[in-house]
Amino acid sequence: MFEKEMKLGINLILKAGKIATDGKFKTHDKGKFDIVTDKDLEVEKFIIEQIKKKFPKDNIVSEETNYEKKISSRSWVIDPIDGTVNFANGLPEWGVQLAFVDHEETQFSVIYLPKFNLLFTAKNGDGAYCNFKQININPNVDLKDVVISTGDIKPSAAHKKAFNDCLNSIENKILISRKHGSACFALSMVANSCLGACFAPIHTPWDYLPGELIVKESGGHVIHETYKTVEYSIAAANENIAKFIQTEFKKAL
């Protein structure tokens, strides 16, 4: 199922990567602690137009122009540039991504990291792939050897202290933590066994849906829940690492 949709998704994401890296762009303030570039808008417009040509009745949820829409059956969830701050400042950790949701499940997802020329894909129940070669997480990672990628947290967020307290409590039990500024990059690196875990409070489905499916299909463990009004996600190489982070975060909250 969804072979035509997935083929289209892969083609669009690869072309979107070329659009993003071709030519100059301007940066605009999107809100406090946030920016958007001309390329975000150009890439999103291109992807939406192409989907509508092939599947005009499908629902589209996207970061820049369709962010208020709800995910329903046959929904394309799009993040035109995940890691815009990195992109705008010439850092390589950013990507373009989408997920396709039907029957309340993510059926497939696609992530492309143009600066690394890495294409990650996953289909529900059919494994995860990097540049069309199947990948499997190495689950035999000890906590003391784990590199954790932590997500961005806005300075005004009410749970900032709890997030920082959690990181402080676990950092002497892991190898080290890093902040990459791009969910698609961090989650892809978990799936590719470069990172042991990714932990972040989250709010928007276009950030986490594509990468979470890739982690799951590569054999990783994902915890995604809301606790004390804070929605957060943990993607890890194994269940023990994920539950350790979850326990420490709940203590901090």
Side-chain angles (χ1 to χ4, degrees):
M1 293 180 66
F2 308 112
E3 284 83 4
K4 291 181 180 179
E5 292 88 341
M6 188 169 184
K7 183 178 179 180
L8 175 65
I10 291 170
N11 289 336
L12 292 181
I13 289 300
L14 288 172
K15 289 178 180 177
K18 292 180 180 179
I19 292 172
T21 54
D22 183 24
K24 297 181 180 180
F25 59 87
K26 292 182 180 180
T27 300
H28 313 276
D29 288 333
K30 185 177 176 181
K32 197 173 183 181
F33 313 119
D34 204 2
I35 61 172
V36 64
T37 71
D38 296 341
K39 289 296 182 179
D40 292 82
L41 302 173
E42 184 181 355
V43 167
E44 184 171 286
K45 182 175 182 290
F46 164 75
I47 294 174
I48 292 173
E49 286 178 348
Q50 297 304 309
I51 291 172
K52 286 299 185 183
K53 285 181 181 179
K54 297 288 186 180
F55 302 102
K57 295 182 180 180
D58 283 3
N59 183 45
I60 294 177
V61 180
S62 56
E63 180 177 11
E64 307 302 339
T65 56
N66 292 285
Y67 53 87
E68 293 182 343
K69 285 193 173 182
K70 301 296 183 182
I71 295 176
S72 59
S73 294
R74 292 195 60 87
S75 289
W76 298 77
V77 183
I78 302 162
D79 194 341
I81 296 179
D82 180 65
T84 298
V85 172
N86 289 350
F87 170 78
N89 287 278
L91 297 170
E93 294 93 346
W94 60 272
V96 290
Q97 62 177 354
L98 65 76
F100 182 82
V101 179
D102 195 36
H103 297 95
E104 299 183 347
E105 286 190 301
T106 305
Q107 300 296 338
F108 68 82
S109 64
V110 185
I111 293 173
Y112 182 47
L113 308 177
K115 292 298 183 179
F116 301 92
N117 195 28
L118 294 175
L119 176 72
F120 291 88
T121 57
K123 191 173 181 182
N124 191 0
D126 194 38
Y129 297 80
C130 178
N131 291 347
F132 302 107
K133 294 182 180 179
Q134 189 163 10
I135 54 175
N136 295 286
I137 279 181
N138 174 17
N140 301 315
V141 180
D142 292 329
L143 190 62
K144 64 179 178 60
D145 299 320
V146 166
V147 179
I148 293 180
S149 180
T150 63
D152 291 326
I153 182 167
K154 306 301 182 186
S156 60
H159 51 276
K160 181 181 179 182
K161 183 179 184 301
F163 183 74
N164 289 331
D165 287 348
C166 173
L167 291 179
N168 289 336
S169 71
I170 66 177
E171 281 195 325
N172 65 343
K173 297 175 183 177
I174 63 172
L175 180 60
I176 202 165
S177 65
R178 291 282 185 260
K179 184 179 287 188
H180 291 100
S182 169
C184 73
F185 176 82
L187 290 168
S188 296
M189 292 303 104
V190 173
N192 215 23
S193 297
C194 299
L195 293 170
C198 177
F199 164 52
I202 50 166
H203 305 285
T204 52
W206 48 80
D207 284 325
Y208 63 82
L209 279 180
E212 282 190 358
L213 180 65
I214 290 168
V215 171
K216 288 178 183 177
E217 289 297 323
S218 66
H221 189 82
V222 173
I223 295 173
H224 188 129
E225 67 175 3
T226 300
Y227 180 74
K228 291 187 177 180
T229 73
V230 178
E231 186 182 7
Y232 69 96
S233 175
I234 301 166
N238 59 54
E239 185 176 4
N240 289 338
I241 295 170
K243 289 195 170 181
F244 168 73
I245 299 171
Q246 178 189 42
T247 299
E248 294 303 313
F249 186 52
K250 286 186 174 181
K251 285 180 185 177
L253 279 173

